[in-house]
């Protein structure tokens, strides 16, 4: 039982490149989330998916897109990376939107 | 290494002492609160939660206190151990709202 798994763990991109961050959960949870964490700051919500087939914007959605591929998987796409998107990205899942979040170990992204 | 923790408030305690970490939350309508622990290079890990119909909840070595009058949350750790060294975040949300808002965190440093 791995919980929430994120790939890749590390990534370096050049400005303008695109990439997709992958997230999968094996807890059969309904809700999934993408957060970003910058130095000295708490986590900020980028997008979330309350249930399979739905996605909604969080606090900082600009420059990102998401896909809830199925109940297990929720991906985050950067279409044209910018240095301001250098951050640590965390995927999380919870049972129903009002229970504790279970986090993956993050993807550390650097955009040069 | 992990850049989380830069410019964060830091609490230094002696091993065996009790620790108190404070959090001021922002939304008076928030009714569900969670404390997370984040170790370097890892995702946040659930510690304890509390709903707004309670003012105190105890776990193993941890207690969360909620004061809705002044929008204040605290985490008490009894007999602090070196393994408790980490960054601690509080998070708030409205029940069934799917959006957790995180504080900026406090770094706990336990001295042997």
């Amino acid at each position: 039982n791995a919980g929430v798994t994120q790939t890749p763990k590390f990534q370096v991109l050049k400005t303008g490149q695109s990439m997709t961050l992958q997230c999968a959960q094996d807890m059969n949870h309904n809700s999934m989330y993408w957060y970003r964490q910058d130095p000295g700051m708490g986590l900020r919500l980028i997008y979330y998916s309350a249930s399979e087939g739905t996605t909604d914007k969080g606090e900082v959605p600009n420059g990102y897109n998401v896909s809830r591929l199925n109940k297990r998987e929720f991906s985050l796409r950067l279409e044209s990376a910018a240095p301001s998107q250098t951050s640590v990205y965390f995927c999380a899942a919870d049972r129903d939107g009002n229970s504790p979040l279970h986090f993956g170990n993050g993807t550390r992204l650097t955009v040069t | 290494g992990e850049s989380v923790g830069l410019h964060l408030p830091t609490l230094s305690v002696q091993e065996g002492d009790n620790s108190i970490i404070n959090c001021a939350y922002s939304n008076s309508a928030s009714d569900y609160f969670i404390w997370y622990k984040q170790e370097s290079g890892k995702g946040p890990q659930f510690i304890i939660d509390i709903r707004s119909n309670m003012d105190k909840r105890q776990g193993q070595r941890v207690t969360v206190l909620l004061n809705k009058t002044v929008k204040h949350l605290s985490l008490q750790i009894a007999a602090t151990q070196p393994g408790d060294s980490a960054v601690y975040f509080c998070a708030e949300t409205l029940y069934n709202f799917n959006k957790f808002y995180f504080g900026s965190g406090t770094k706990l440093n336990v001295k042997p």
Side-chain angles (χ1 to χ4, degrees), chain B:
Chain B
E2 180 57 73
S3 59
V4 171
L6 286 177
H7 313 302
L8 289 176
T10 299
L11 174 66
S12 293
V13 300
Q14 208 67 39
E15 181 179 358
D17 287 352
N18 297 333
S19 303
I20 300 176
I21 300 171
N22 296 304
C23 175
Y25 64 91
S26 58
N27 188 346
S28 58
S30 292
D31 56 10
Y32 181 45
F33 305 88
I34 301 179
W35 279 101
Y36 288 93
K37 172 186 181 184
Q38 186 176 28
E39 296 173 288
S40 182
K42 295 186 177 179
Q45 178 185 7
F46 169 78
I47 301 173
I48 191 168
D49 58 357
I50 189 168
R51 299 202 184 268
S52 58
N53 60 351
M54 304 173 70
D55 53 20
K56 179 178 180 179
R57 190 166 189 221
Q58 289 184 291
Q60 187 177 12
R61 278 201 311 119
V62 294
T63 300
V64 55
L65 298 177
L66 174 62
N67 185 331
K68 295 182 286 292
T69 303
V70 294
K71 296 190 291 184
H72 185 267
L73 199 65
S74 69
L75 176 70
Q76 301 178 359
I77 305 173
T80 313
Q81 302 168 359
D84 295 327
S85 293
V87 177
Y88 290 80
F89 295 94
C90 65
E92 61 180 291
T93 191
L94 290 171
Y95 189 79
N96 238 1
F97 193 49
N98 276 110
K99 291 183 180 180
F100 283 92
Y101 293 94
F102 285 77
S104 56
T106 296
K107 186 173 184 179
L108 177 64
N109 180 32
V110 182
K111 297 176 284 187

Side-chain angles (χ1 to χ4, degrees), chain A residues 34 44-48 56-62, chain B residues 99 101:
Chain A
W34 277 104
R44 291 183 292 168
L45 182 64
I46 305 172
Y47 271 93
Y48 68 98
D56 285 287
K57 295 178 180 179
E59 300 172 73
V60 288
N62 291 344
Chain B
K99 291 183 180 180
Y101 293 94

Side-chain angles (χ1 to χ4, degrees), chain A residues 92-105:
Chain A
D94 81 329
R95 189 176 58 241
D96 53 14
N98 51 60
S99 48
L101 297 172
H102 296 268
F103 285 87
N105 281 327

Side-chain angles (χ1 to χ4, degrees), chain A residues 4 11-12 37 40 52 61 66 68 71 73 75 94 108 111:
Chain A
V4 177
Q11 184 71 51
V12 178
Q37 185 174 41
E52 186 179 355
V66 290
R68 183 75 183 267
K71 192 170 186 179
E73 298 172 288
S75 63
D94 81 329
R108 286 143 184 85
V111 183

